[in-house]
Each structure stands twice: as C-alpha cells, then as structure tokens.
Amino acid sequence: MADDRLTFKQMCERFDVTPRTLRYYEYIELLDPDREGRSRFYSPRECARMKLILRGRKFGFSLEGIRQWLLIYEKEGTEAQMQAWVVASERQLKELADQRAQLDEAMAELQRLHDETVDELEKRRA
C-alpha cells in the first residue's frame, strides 16, 4: 500500500505547490493524508483530489466551492457531482466572460490614454 503513496515533499514537488499551500488544503479539509507519526502520506485518491483542486483554482473557483463539490462526490456519488459541476461551470463561464469584458474595456481605455499621451509628447517635441 505504501508504495503508491507520496510523501509530503513528493506531493509538493509533483503538484508544484508550497508546503504552506499543502498544509492549508489539509487544514480546510480538502485533503486528508494518511498520518504515521509526524509523517504524511498521500494516496492516489488524495493525488486525484489535488488535481481537481488545482484545476478548479485555475478556472477561478473558490476553495470553498471546490470543497463543497468534493463533498458531493463523497455523500451523493459521481452523477450528483457531475450535475453540480455542470451548474458551477456554467456559472463560472459567465463570470469569466464578464471579467474578460471588463479587462477588454480597461485595456482599450489604457491604450487610448497611452496613445493620447504619446501624441501629446510628440506635439511638444515638434
């Protein structure tokens, strides 16, 4: 059993996270490693959860939202989790589209101000 588990250090390296991040994910109960004395060992299940956590973070989901989604799987199974994922992902796609629109607007305004300033500098040099 221990052969397919990762140590704390291996888990940090594999997923490119800091020890602080890994401990925090445990603290908020996203991960539940096996403990042997002061050592922690991460099973394939914990590695799969970590993959989902990092993917969720990449897509902008909150840690609490990810925790709730993982709990659905434990309590209600795969289909309920998939249904919850569809709802959450639709909501997140809308949020990301709104953020993109805001970013596009800010970039356009910044570009306009940049261009105006460059024009003003050129006029002063002429």
Side-chain angles (χ1 to χ4, degrees):
M1 176 175 159
D3 293 342
D4 63 348
R5 299 183 306 170
L6 298 178
T7 65
F8 185 86
K9 183 177 180 183
Q10 290 170 327
M11 190 75 164
C12 289
E13 289 171 358
R14 174 165 297 171
F15 292 100
D16 193 26
V17 296
T18 65
R20 182 178 179 181
T21 296
L22 194 53
R23 283 189 208 99
Y24 183 68
Y25 288 172
E26 292 172 28
Y27 176 75
I28 62 172
E29 300 177 348
L30 289 174
L31 298 172
D32 185 24
D34 299 328
R35 295 181 185 270
E36 295 174 13
R38 295 190 69 203
S39 299
R40 297 176 177 105
F41 296 94
Y42 300 84
S43 67
R45 174 188 179 270
E46 297 307 306
C47 290
R49 289 174 68 95
M50 186 66 163
K51 236 183 248 187
L52 291 173
I53 293 164
L54 294 177
R55 188 175 291 159
R57 294 301 291 155
K58 177 182 176 183
F59 297 143
F61 289 98
S62 70
L63 289 174
E64 179 57 25
I66 294 166
R67 191 176 74 74
Q68 292 299 321
W69 185 68
L70 292 171
L71 281 173
I72 291 170
Y73 174 76
E74 290 176 11
K75 294 180 179 185
E76 301 175 43
T78 303
E79 188 170 336
Q81 185 187 43
M82 291 170 75
Q83 290 172 347
W85 169 251
V86 168
V87 170
S89 63
E90 287 171 350
R91 186 172 45 243
Q92 190 61 18
L93 284 166
K94 183 185 178 325
E95 177 67 28
L96 290 172
D98 290 347
Q99 289 175 6
R100 178 190 286 167
Q102 292 171 9
L103 185 57
D104 287 345
E105 184 178 317
M107 288 176 66
E109 177 70 8
L110 180 58
Q111 186 67 56
R112 185 185 63 73
L113 290 171
H114 168 271
D115 295 346
E116 286 176 6
T117 304
V118 167
D119 289 346
E120 182 64 29
L121 283 171
E122 288 174 358
K123 286 178 189 174
R124 290 177 184 219
R125 290 183 186 141

